[in-house]
């Protein structure tokens, strides 16, 4: 698995599914990402890709780990344009 490539794909998907928040940053709910058919086909391990992108300070979200159902309303925020 190429993490750099997956993170690049994640950025594209956040841009596709998200919208600008009050701070002018693009954000999308975790549930929207998780339940999107295109994302499901692209990412073998969406949660792992999210964690890798967060470590690289490309995105941010509350908490350490996002779980489907429990964290569906958590915003995933793109820090870079």
């Amino acid at each position: 698995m190429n993490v750099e490539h997956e993170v690049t794909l994640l950025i594209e998907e956040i841009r596709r599914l998200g919208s600008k928040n009050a701070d002018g940053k693009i954000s999308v709910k975790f549930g929207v990402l998780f339940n999107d058919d295109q994302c499901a086909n692209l990412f073998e391990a969406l949660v792992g890709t999210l964690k890798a992108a967060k470590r690289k300070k490309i995105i941010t979200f509350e908490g350490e780990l996002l779980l489907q159902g429990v964290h569906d309303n958590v915003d995933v925020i793109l820090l870079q344009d």
Side-chain angles (χ1 to χ4, degrees):
M1 179 169 69
N2 183 344
V3 176
E4 295 294 324
H5 179 66
E6 293 237 339
V7 168
T8 302
L9 292 175
L10 178 65
I11 292 168
E12 290 173 15
E13 293 306 303
I14 292 172
R15 285 188 178 134
R16 179 176 68 86
L17 295 168
S19 56
K20 291 207 180 221
N21 62 15
D23 298 333
K25 303 225 182 274
I26 297 174
S27 109
V28 63
K29 299 285 184 199
F30 173 67
V32 172
L33 267 180
F34 192 91
N35 293 313
D36 182 72
D37 286 339
Q38 190 169 324
C39 285
N41 292 330
L42 277 176
F43 302 107
E44 231 173 89
L46 176 61
V47 173
T49 304
L50 287 166
K51 281 181 72 173
K54 185 175 182 178
R55 269 196 308 273
K56 295 174 182 285
K57 305 220 182 309
I58 293 169
I59 64 166
T60 190
F61 53 82
E62 272 187 45
E64 281 296 306
L65 184 68
L66 297 174
L67 301 173
Q68 195 244 342
V70 181
H71 298 114
D72 281 356
N73 285 324
V74 173
D75 287 315
V76 176
I77 302 165
L78 187 61
L79 298 175
Q80 304 177 346
D81 270 342

